[in-house]
Amino acid sequence: TSHKFTHLWAVRGGAGAIKLLPYLDEFFKEKLYNPIYFPLIIGYSDITTLHLYFWKKFKLKGLHAPMVIHLPELTKEAFKRLKSFIFENMGEGKLTGKTYQSGIGEGILLGGNLSVFSSLCGTPYFPEEKAIILILEDAKEKLYRLERSFLQIIFSLPKDSIKGLVLGDLGEVSPVEFLARVEEFLPKNIPIGYAFSFGHISKNYPFYVGAKAFFKASSEKAELIFKG
C-alpha cells in the first residue's frame, strides 16, 4: 500500500524512546511491512535511539535535526537549511569544522547523541558497520561521563571499523580536552574533527544518520560531505 505520510517529526526530545524498541520489534514481527513506505524520522538527542533502530533493522536513514519545539531557537541559516532538507528533499549536504587529526575517511555516517548511543551498547539494537564515520554530540554532561560513554562505544564497535570521528557541540565540555583524554584509544590514521555546527545549539545543522559520507580533515579545515 502507498504511504500517507512522508515525514515523522518529533515535537520534543523523547527520553523514553528506548522503551519503544521492544514494542517496535513486536509490531514489525506481526505485520508485513515494506520499509520503503516508512516516513523520514526527524529529530535528535534522544531520538538518536530511533534513528539507529531503523538503520539497524531496515537500513532506513533518519534526519538528525531540531525538534519542532526548538525551531524558534534556530539561527536563520540553520532554519533555512532545515527547510531545504525537509521541503526540497535534499539528498546530500556538507558540514565543516576544525581539525584535530588530519586524514581522509569514507563510511556510513552513524551516531547522534553520545550518551544515547552508548546506552545501546550490548543490546540487539546497537548498529555495526565495516566502515563508520562516527558523528557525536551531547549536552549537560560531565567530561568523565562523556569519556566513559565514548569508550563504551569504541570498545563495542568492530575493530578498525571507525574511519573518521566528527564532534559537534559537547555543551560545557571542551572538545579538545575530551579528545586529549581519549586520544590513546583513537586510531592514528583517521580524520578527527570538532566544532561542527550540530547539537544542542542554535546552529543545529541537519545531517542524515545512515548516509554515505566522505570526511577530510586537513590543516585548513575539516569537511564532511554526506549523501542520502
Side-chain angles (χ1 to χ4, degrees):
T1 59
S2 61
H3 60 289
K4 297 180 180 180
F5 305 102
T6 57
H7 298 76
L8 183 58
W9 198 345
V11 174
R12 59 182 301 163
I18 195 170
K19 297 179 181 179
L20 296 175
L21 303 189
Y23 294 100
L24 289 172
D25 279 343
E26 288 298 317
F27 176 81
F28 290 117
K29 184 170 64 177
E30 294 175 359
K31 295 181 179 293
L32 294 175
Y33 191 84
N34 191 333
I36 67 171
Y37 295 133
F38 200 85
L40 177 70
I41 295 178
I42 306 171
Y44 78 115
S45 193
D46 284 276
I47 304 302
T48 295
T49 302
L50 299 181
H51 288 324
L52 296 176
Y53 175 86
F54 283 102
W55 171 255
K56 169 91 175 189
K57 192 170 187 68
F58 296 120
K59 291 296 184 285
L60 289 174
K61 302 175 187 67
L63 186 60
H64 185 282
M67 273 77 76
V68 174
I69 197 172
H70 293 145
L71 295 182
E73 304 167 8
L74 296 180
T75 64
K76 290 183 179 180
E77 175 60 25
F79 188 62
K80 180 180 178 181
R81 289 198 188 194
L82 179 58
K83 288 196 299 181
S84 296
F85 273 82
I86 295 175
F87 299 114
E88 297 175 19
N89 296 318
M90 286 185 62
E92 58 184 48
K94 179 171 69 175
L95 296 171
T96 58
K98 299 179 180 180
T99 296
Y100 184 84
Q101 179 173 287
S102 297
I104 297 176
E106 293 183 86
I108 301 299
L109 198 57
L110 289 181
N113 184 267
L114 172 55
S115 302
V116 173
F117 194 173
S118 69
S119 71
L120 298 179
C121 291
T123 75
Y125 310 111
F126 186 75
E128 296 180 0
E129 292 290 331
K130 292 181 179 179
I132 296 172
I133 302 296
L134 192 58
I135 185 165
L136 301 168
E137 60 83 22
D138 217 311
K140 299 180 181 179
E141 292 285 358
K142 299 292 185 181
L143 175 58
Y144 77 92
R145 291 177 63 88
L146 292 183
E147 179 182 0
R148 183 171 61 197
S149 294
F150 178 75
L151 293 180
Q152 190 174 6
I153 294 172
I154 294 294
F155 299 156
S156 298
L157 287 171
K159 187 178 180 181
D160 300 323
S161 64
I162 300 177
K163 306 302 181 183
L165 174 60
V166 180
L167 294 182
D169 182 69
L170 294 180
E172 297 180 0
V173 174
S174 163
V176 174
E177 184 180 0
F178 167 76
L179 287 168
R181 290 275 291 263
V182 298
E183 187 171 1
E184 64 182 292
F185 302 100
L186 298 173
K188 304 303 179 187
N189 59 340
I190 66 167
I192 300 175
Y194 66 97
F196 283 75
S197 290
F198 64 89
H200 292 72
I201 52 176
S202 58
K203 289 185 178 181
N204 188 2
Y205 293 162
F207 63 84
Y208 289 109
V209 176
K212 294 180 180 179
F214 173 80
F215 181 34
K216 180 179 179 181
S218 65
S219 57
E220 297 178 354
K221 63 179 178 179
E223 186 175 72
L224 175 71
I225 300 173
F226 55 90
K227 186 173 183 179

